[in-house]
Amino acid sequence: MQITFRGVRGSYPVAAPHSVRYGGNTPCIEVWAGETCLIIDAGTGIRPLGKKLIEQDQREIHLLISHTHWDHVQGFPHFDPQHNENAHIRIYSLTHPDRSLGEIFRTQQQAPFYPVSIDAVEAQIEFLELTDGQPFQIGGAQISCHRLNHPGVTGGYRIEYGGKVLSYISDVDLYGPILLGNGMENGSQEEQQTWHKYLQNSARDLAHRADLMICDTFFLPDEYQPDWGHSRPEDAVRLGAEAQVQSLALFHHEPHRSDEEMDAIQERYREEAPCDLFAAVEGMELSL
Ligand SMILES: [Zn+2]
Ligand SMILES: [Zn+2]
């Protein structure tokens, strides 16, 4: 598996001197499972990737969306393969209870917000709604998607290919006290306990013995807000230990975090992690 970080910043893109080294684009990961092109999330980092895929005349594109908060989908209108008449773009995400995935993407990409509607582009675009925990296959890759604790409907992904495992767990509050997802919030105390247990097991299943776990570490401990749905590096380190991962990439960096602060965070948590640990950098390429 070949992996390239195309966007590593959470919440909104930043173009400022403080973020030049780690990068300012919002989440997007390019993954090649052999000849199969998988993309995780469509943040602003997807724009240069689209240009590359056009140059390569890549026609089959599989886009795995964690959730439809803006920072994870706002790059899609600028994804040039939409204008390649030979391209077939399949967009996957967990089912929402109240509206279809196609409807959500069409709402983002239409007048007066954007001049070209999804229905007017040249590529064939297909929406595939996923069921929590149900495994599926794309090319030679075995994939599963599990619900995470984050506002709305959010899923993490586990991709297995060629005996290697990549886990993408963002956005999420891994061990927080408050349930945040649609349908989780208003149950009895017993139902809430069941949800907490279910969500923690899901995160462990996604990460189990992963060669690389990419994890939301938006907050530092003194910034933590339990109702936002994000984790701290210590949460990711704890999950990495419980799931026995090989390496951990800190991800979804806070927009105002400077390159120097990112260096210091990486240094600090490297000491306590039971696995390799690094802060994801835009443009970084890895091979599993
Ligand atoms: Zn996000
Ligand atoms: Zn989010």
Side-chain angles (χ1 to χ4, degrees), residues 194-213:
T194 307
W195 263 117
H196 274 295
K197 204 166 176 187
Y198 178 79
L199 291 165
Q200 291 191 13
N201 285 340
S202 291
R204 267 201 297 269
D205 286 349
L206 286 168
H208 183 67
R209 297 203 167 165
D211 295 277
L212 174 62
M213 174 174 82

Side-chain angles (χ1 to χ4, degrees), residues 158 165 167 169 203-204 206-214 236-237 239-249 274-276:
R158 176 184 176 90
V165 178
S167 299
I169 305 180
R204 267 201 297 269
L206 286 168
H208 183 67
R209 297 203 167 165
D211 295 277
L212 174 62
M213 174 174 82
I214 300 168
V237 166
L239 177 60
E242 287 174 0
Q244 300 173 276
V245 306
Q246 285 288 323
S247 65
L248 161 60
C275 59
D276 288 340

Side-chain angles (χ1 to χ4, degrees), residues 9-10 17 23 73 91 94 96 98 120 142 150 161 197 212 224 247 281:
R9 197 64 62 169
V73 296
I91 303 179
L94 286 174
H96 284 66
D98 52 347
Q142 192 66 36
H150 188 72
Y161 176 78
K197 204 166 176 187
L212 174 62
Y224 176 69
S247 65
V281 179

